Amino acid sequence: MTSRLLSAAAALGLSGALGGVLVAALAMPLVSGAGFAAKGAASTFTELPPPPREDPLPEMTRLLDRYGRQIAQFYYQNRESVPIDKVAPAMRQAIVAIEDSRFYEHGGVDIKGTLRALIANTQAGGIRQGGSSITQQLVKNIMVNRAESAHERALARMRSIQRKIDEARYALALEKKYSKQQILERYLNIAYFGAGAFGIQAAARRFFGVDAADLTLLQSATLAGAVRTPYDTDPSLGRAQQARLLERRDIVLDRMAELKMITVEQARAAARDPLGLRMRGEPGGCEGSAYPYFCVYVEQEVLTNPAFGYTRADRERRLQRGGLTLWTSIDPAAQKAAEKAIAARVAPRDTQVAAETMVEPGTGLIRAMAASKRYGRNPRDRKTGPRTTYNLAADRAHGGGDGFQAGSTFKAFTLATALAQGWRFGDGFDTPGSYVPSSGYRDCAGKPVNAPSATIYNASGEGTGGPYSLELGTWKSVNIFYMKLEREVGLCNVVRTARALGISRADGTPLREVPTFTLGVNEMDPTTVAAAFAAFAARGRYCRPMAITDIVERDGTRTSVPPSCGEVLDPEVADAVNHVLSGVFTKGTMHGQSIGRPAAGKTGTNNGYTSAWFAGYTPHLASAVSVGDIRGSYRYPLTGVTIGGQYYGAVQGASLPGPIWVDSMRSALRDVPPSDFVSPDMRRFGGGFTPGLKEFLEREKKHRDREGSGHGGRRDADHGRDHDTSQDGGHDPGHDTGRFAYQKPTHAQPVGRSHARPPARHGRRHKNHRPRHPAHRHRPGRVHEHR
């Protein structure tokens, strides 16, 4: 008898839930009648096992911007669980009608309903009603979800009498643990509806673009019809599947009418309508994000942070399945400002790339992260094109590459070191026309790292020297001045200052502690540089760049992530740095470019124009912009190039990164009231003296006046304009370690007129001047010295 029924069921093609008909509904009496002891047969269904272990369902992780708007999502299964009261009543009725009409009457296994389904499906020649109860289907899905491997999942789905007996026993146990509403809620959240949608909320949004709470009768019937054979009725696969889904929808409507859930008229009227699908993609990962580079940064923060899991595999699992909600720091207005400023000057198809990161001083919160290329793979995986999978604004640990040499932006760290050691505004020394760093340089291990074979030239390229003060040497970005200043304050001390401000190489290798460290030979990324300069704005308080502000677990538990900050620079020293770097806009390489509020910063251009930078800040926001060729900065320098439709003879910090910075910061800060930097303590930092500087500037002024009379209409090279010829006003190139001799521009530029009014204290030593550090007494004076 048993074998005949099993054969008959197989002949009818009864699979899946209907395969449970013979096991769940018939196995008990048949097995008992086959000669088993009555007590043993009864114990199978009276001595129940504990309910099956329920692992947390794989849930989508969502990334939100600072205001709570979603910007990205990650998932292993596209699912967002919702409570039963967030599911439309029509949906609850539809799923019960088609899958288990006696759900509220049976205790987990519905023998009567199973027999009725067998008869109905046999008469129809196909599957019209479910055989397994909703509770049994829930058990099966729990087992599949619990499986860790493909083999375990196959075992959970395997058609066997023993599995169906176990399924029935677990179903009975679940009914003792949960109420009917709890079981229905779990079922609706675990079920697969097709088109990649797991759970009713994801299905409602995927199929119709609405929440589960807002599903109509028609939509509910459609989704209820999809559960039985989700792959055969997947509307994303084509018209044939859509036709089958329409047929299933109408079956659900008819069944609801049979059960008096709706009227026959309502069923007929609804059946006349089309499916009404509004299929909405649910892209996972960062390629589908509006802010892909920032998304990659957040993703890598999760995958590399032990707080999210002991191993990387654990962290990946939590990101893809954990149902986290990650509140992030990204500010849509700042992001739009950065994207717009970059897009206005650099095109996605250019091989030259621009990237920018904005960081909030005092917190380290990343407010914007943008690049000139779109994120993703190029067609046919070409290496060049409008897209890239490198996070151009970040280091390698956050999805970026090796970065670009930061150039003269590193002079800010030497400036800070000198001021911390007691140097004063106006202090300086005479410089030669060229300089060989043959002695006096030791790395932090105490090892001499002199470079007797290298020759350093000033940015003018003319080979002339002269006296420079801290301010003038910074504003004109004088290479030799900063090489000698670095030697005086100590190379290792400059390196330590940079490290304290978060400086580390983009490729993760140790900083190169060489004489040209101050000229920016280390490859950097905009995020790291922006965070370092933000510390100046925060009066010496450095904060690690921060993207995640709050973590909300799937159960609603919320954990705020505090900034990771510390005072690494004396606040008064930071004030002094800000005072000097503010002059870059008013008297230096960015003269003529303004954001309409107090700002400070430093241009950076590398030897041979391999890359260009600008890093700057206000008290409210810091930003760094880099420009270089994605194919390789050494093979493809920024000379004789057309970028964004504009020709550049040579790209310097003030000619392309500078204007991007100005436009983006002006827009990002539009609604933020301006504020000033804290004034420096002139008792501590005022009163310096540079021998011969006053006379030198007077001679330069006379020379400039004579030249001006013959070139009446020429603009000052320090005005930082966009250049459309082969010359760039050039006071600001840095140098790399491969070749230190400066590549001379098309023609030399005179000293900018903005330097014609030096502080009065440069003319004489202040009577109360006292060195504040031993090194202050040994710096070079009027005569150039090698040590």
Side-chain angles (χ1 to χ4, degrees):
M1 176 78 174
T2 303
S3 61
R4 288 200 303 272
L5 283 171
L6 291 173
S7 299
L12 284 172
L14 305 179
S15 61
L18 195 53
V21 168
L22 296 176
V23 177
L26 304 178
M28 288 182 282
L30 293 177
V31 168
S32 179
F36 284 93
K39 180 178 180 181
S43 67
T44 301
F45 293 96
T46 57
E47 296 178 7
L48 299 176
R53 187 188 81 246
E54 297 176 71
D55 291 344
L57 295 179
E59 293 272 358
M60 176 189 297
T61 288
R62 300 185 303 138
L63 271 56
L64 310 181
D65 68 18
R66 66 179 300 191
Y67 299 115
R69 291 181 287 249
Q70 184 168 318
I71 60 172
Q73 57 195 16
F74 296 88
Y75 58 81
Y76 167 73
Q77 294 177 350
N78 177 19
R79 176 187 283 109
E80 182 181 351
S81 296
V82 292
I84 194 67
D85 61 2
K86 296 294 185 182
V87 179
M91 184 66 225
R92 290 179 247 167
Q93 289 180 316
I95 199 70
V96 167
I98 197 62
E99 290 299 319
D100 189 359
S101 61
R102 284 171 43 82
F103 173 67
Y104 291 104
E105 301 170 30
H106 65 67
V109 178
D110 182 16
I111 297 176
K112 181 178 178 181
T114 298
L115 288 171
R116 185 184 60 250
L118 173 61
I119 296 169
N121 292 330
T122 301
Q123 292 174 344
I127 300 174
R128 293 185 65 87
Q129 296 179 26
S132 295
S133 69
I134 281 177
T135 315
Q136 287 174 277
Q137 293 181 54
L138 173 59
V139 168
K140 178 182 176 181
N141 278 295
I142 289 173
M143 297 302 189
V144 172
N145 178 62
R146 226 168 63 181
E148 291 290 338
S149 65
H151 176 67
E152 291 178 355
R153 284 189 289 273
L155 288 177
R157 295 188 178 104
M158 184 177 64
R159 300 170 188 170
S160 71
I161 292 177
Q162 185 59 52
R163 183 182 70 80
K164 297 304 294 185
I165 291 175
D166 292 341
E167 186 179 280
R169 296 178 75 219
Y170 278 132
L172 294 172
L174 272 183
E175 291 274 350
K176 293 182 178 297
K177 180 179 180 180
Y178 296 125
S179 69
K180 289 292 186 179
Q181 289 295 83
Q182 290 173 319
I183 289 172
L184 185 59
E185 176 183 306
R186 281 166 168 75
Y187 175 74
L188 285 170
N189 282 318
I190 201 172
Y192 180 57
F193 290 82
F198 291 82
I200 187 59
Q201 174 70 2
R205 297 185 67 81
R206 178 77 169 99
F207 283 58
F208 301 108
V210 301
D211 290 324
D214 300 322
L215 288 167
T216 65
L217 169 63
L218 202 67
Q219 293 167 344
S220 297
T222 302
L223 294 180
V227 170
R228 176 57 46 191
T229 55
Y231 299 99
D232 290 339
T233 55
D234 184 341
S236 67
L237 297 180
R239 292 184 178 179
Q241 288 79 7
Q242 291 177 17
R244 284 194 285 271
L245 181 60
L246 180 64
E247 181 183 352
R248 285 289 298 164
R249 181 203 70 178
D250 293 346
I251 290 173
V252 175
L253 291 170
D254 288 343
R255 182 61 177 153
M256 293 179 75
E258 290 175 17
L259 296 171
K260 311 298 184 186
M261 293 177 176
I262 59 175
T263 65
V264 173
E265 291 73 19
Q266 283 178 303
R268 289 174 179 172
R272 287 194 292 268
D273 290 334
L275 284 172
L277 295 170
R278 292 194 293 273
M279 299 297 290
R280 191 181 85 163
E282 291 288 353
C286 293
E287 194 164 350
S289 172
Y291 310 139
Y293 294 104
F294 179 75
C295 173
V296 170
Y297 191 96
V298 174
E299 179 184 20
Q300 293 304 315
E301 277 285 283
V302 173
L303 296 180
T304 58
N305 191 334
F308 290 94
Y310 185 71
T311 66
R312 185 178 179 90
D314 293 336
R315 297 189 284 270
E316 287 179 351
R317 183 180 180 87
R318 192 172 185 198
L319 179 66
Q320 299 287 344
R321 301 169 180 242
L324 302 174
T325 299
L326 302 178
W327 287 73
T328 72
S329 59
I330 198 74
D331 181 90
Q335 180 70 24
K336 182 179 179 180
E339 291 174 351
K340 184 177 179 180
I342 290 174
R345 290 178 171 81
V346 185
R349 290 195 172 274
D350 293 336
T351 59
Q352 300 81 18
V353 291
E356 179 176 18
T357 298
M358 294 180 177
V359 174
E360 184 177 275
T363 64
L365 294 171
I366 298 172
R367 294 307 190 191
M369 186 175 286
S372 55
K373 288 190 178 294
R374 295 187 286 273
Y375 184 78
R377 295 187 179 278
N378 287 305
R380 295 186 292 277
D381 283 339
R382 289 196 301 263
K383 292 184 178 179
T384 58
R387 296 179 175 273
T388 182
T389 55
Y390 286 104
N391 189 354
L392 298 172
D395 58 11
R396 190 184 292 178
H398 291 91
D402 293 341
F404 294 114
Q405 288 185 328
S408 295
T409 59
F410 266 45
K411 290 173 182 173
F413 309 132
T414 307
L415 171 65
T417 304
L419 291 166
Q421 290 187 7
W423 288 63
R424 295 171 177 260
F425 304 142
D427 279 340
F429 43 77
D430 193 52
T431 63
S434 63
Y435 179 70
V436 177
S438 58
S439 64
Y441 296 90
R442 291 181 179 272
D443 63 17
C444 289
K447 177 185 176 182
V449 289
N450 305 303
S453 61
T455 302
I456 308 300
Y457 295 99
N458 282 334
S460 67
E462 296 179 359
T464 58
Y468 291 94
S469 64
L470 280 180
E471 300 99 302
L472 191 58
T474 302
W475 298 337
K476 294 185 66 175
S477 199
V478 181
N479 291 336
I480 292 176
F481 174 83
Y482 264 93
M483 287 289 297
K484 289 170 65 65
L485 181 62
E486 177 189 60
R487 187 184 71 171
E488 288 304 310
V489 301
L491 168 61
C492 179
N493 291 328
V494 176
V495 172
R496 286 172 175 164
T497 297
R499 283 194 182 125
L501 292 166
I503 290 297
S504 59
R505 286 175 58 86
D507 60 8
T509 61
L511 288 170
R512 293 162 64 183
E513 300 176 26
V514 294
T516 47
F517 182 88
T518 190
L519 303 185
V521 298
N522 283 280
E523 284 82 5
M524 303 300 300
D525 64 279
T527 302
T528 300
V529 175
F533 275 64
F536 295 137
R539 304 191 69 209
R541 177 180 168 87
Y542 171 75
C543 299
R544 181 182 178 274
M546 178 177 172
I548 301 172
T549 60
D550 291 90
I551 303 168
V552 182
E553 304 288 347
R554 67 167 72 207
D555 64 0
T557 303
R558 184 166 185 154
T559 303
S560 294
V561 181
S564 177
C565 305
E567 185 178 296
V568 300
L569 201 64
D570 183 336
E572 291 187 352
V573 171
D575 296 339
V577 171
N578 299 339
H579 174 75
V580 175
L581 295 186
S582 295
V584 170
F585 285 96
T586 57
K587 303 179 179 68
T589 51
M590 285 288 287
H591 182 65
Q593 303 192 62
S594 170
I595 62 172
R597 66 176 66 214
K602 186 70 189 73
T603 49
T605 311
N606 280 295
N607 182 61
Y609 302 101
T610 55
S611 61
W613 287 73
F614 187 77
Y617 53 93
T618 72
H620 298 105
L621 192 63
S623 172
V625 180
S626 68
V627 177
D629 198 301
I630 198 170
R631 298 170 297 176
S633 58
Y634 295 104
R635 290 186 61 191
Y636 300 96
L638 303 176
T639 54
V641 293
T642 299
I643 305 175
Q646 176 72 41
Y647 178 77
Y648 295 85
V651 177
Q652 289 197 339
S655 63
L656 184 53
I660 291 173
W661 185 94
V662 167
D663 285 355
S664 64
M665 290 287 281
R666 182 188 294 124
S667 180
L669 293 168
R670 180 178 292 118
D671 297 326
V672 179
S675 62
D676 290 319
F677 295 108
V678 176
S679 298
D681 183 351
M682 298 307 292
R683 293 171 300 177
R684 176 177 177 181
F685 297 104
F689 177 72
T690 300
L693 179 61
K694 180 180 179 181
E695 295 79 9
F696 174 78
L697 292 176
E698 289 175 349
R699 290 194 300 270
E700 287 293 307
K701 183 178 184 302
K702 290 178 181 179
H703 176 70
R704 186 171 59 254
D705 289 344
R706 286 196 299 270
E707 280 200 342
S709 63
H711 301 81
R714 194 171 82 175
R715 292 179 60 191
D716 193 307
D718 278 348
H719 284 191
R721 63 194 185 280
D722 286 336
H723 298 278
D724 57 2
T725 66
S726 61
Q727 67 87 26
D728 186 341
H731 294 304
D732 187 38
H735 298 268
D736 59 38
T737 52
R739 175 173 169 269
F740 299 123
Y742 172 74
Q743 181 176 340
K744 188 173 182 178
T746 305
H747 63 271
Q749 296 295 328
V751 176
R753 67 174 59 90
S754 59
H755 302 302
R757 297 179 60 192
R761 61 178 176 274
H762 286 181
R764 58 185 175 84
R765 183 176 295 276
H766 193 281
K767 65 180 181 179
N768 293 324
H769 173 71
R770 291 290 186 274
R772 301 181 67 89
H773 189 279
H776 194 73
R777 295 191 291 269
H778 300 292
R779 58 183 180 274
R782 191 181 300 272
V783 181
H784 171 65
E785 300 177 6
H786 289 281
R787 297 185 180 183

